[in-house]
Amino acid sequence: MTASKRLTAYLRKNKIPYKTSKHAAAVTTQEVAAAQHIPGHMMVKSVVVKIDGKPALAVVQAPQMVNFSKLKAAAGAKKADLATEKEIAAWIPECEVGAMTPLGPLYGLPVYADASLGREANIVFNAETHTDTVRIAFRDFRRAVKPVLA
């Protein structure tokens, strides 16, 4: 399987230059970074969360964890927690669980991203599978996705 047609169509529609890569199957973003021979801070992970019960994406660098207190504050919410695998499969059925892109609009989800991602010229992320990645410029991600940076 390669980057989905839906994903590449979204990137083209938003005029985002991109590069796809294949690697051996890897589940964690740190494993993917190692397989791609890139530093972990360049690899981003998309964590499906629930903010006041509604789905959203929290995007952080591979070595980082989502800080739910900060996420809740950034969203102006009363509650923020992880989505279950069952919820993720229902909300984003077209991709492998754990391999979501940070492109929330592709799934109809708002995105909350760690502001430290802006220190990277490029970001790399799963392309909806555990064997494919996409590399784009952070500025293009910010322009097309319009994440809340916190």
Side-chain angles (χ1 to χ4, degrees):
M1 189 184 285
T2 59
S4 74
K5 289 180 182 178
R6 191 173 54 88
L7 170 58
T8 54
Y10 176 86
L11 295 169
R12 284 192 302 276
K13 176 184 171 196
N14 285 281
K15 297 179 174 59
I16 299 174
Y18 65 94
K19 180 181 178 192
T20 59
S21 296
K22 272 201 128 358
H23 57 83
V27 177
T28 72
T29 50
Q30 286 290 69
E31 291 171 344
V32 175
Q36 291 288 312
H37 307 289
I38 61 171
H41 59 85
M42 191 176 183
M43 183 78 197
V44 301
K45 61 184 167 188
S46 304
V47 181
V48 182
V49 297
K50 294 183 287 187
I51 298 175
D52 288 339
K54 295 179 182 170
L57 289 180
V59 180
V60 296
Q61 293 172 320
Q64 305 300 317
M65 303 212 28
V66 174
N67 180 319
F68 284 92
S69 295
K70 289 182 180 180
L71 176 60
K72 190 167 64 169
K78 293 180 181 178
K79 187 175 182 183
D81 54 5
L82 281 173
T84 66
E85 285 192 13
K86 185 177 180 180
E87 289 169 325
I88 295 167
W91 294 331
I92 310 171
E94 54 276 325
C95 78
E96 295 175 13
V97 174
M100 291 74 59
T101 77
L103 308 174
L106 189 60
Y107 312 118
L109 301 177
V111 176
Y112 297 85
D114 188 323
S116 68
L117 295 176
R119 291 186 223 137
E120 301 299 321
N122 295 296
I123 58 172
V124 178
F125 51 87
N126 285 319
E128 300 189 328
T129 75
H130 292 290
T131 58
D132 299 284
T133 57
V134 171
R135 178 187 300 231
I136 64 172
F138 177 78
R139 71 178 177 277
D140 291 330
F141 165 75
R142 191 170 180 186
R143 174 183 51 79
V145 175
K146 296 175 181 49
V148 174
L149 296 177

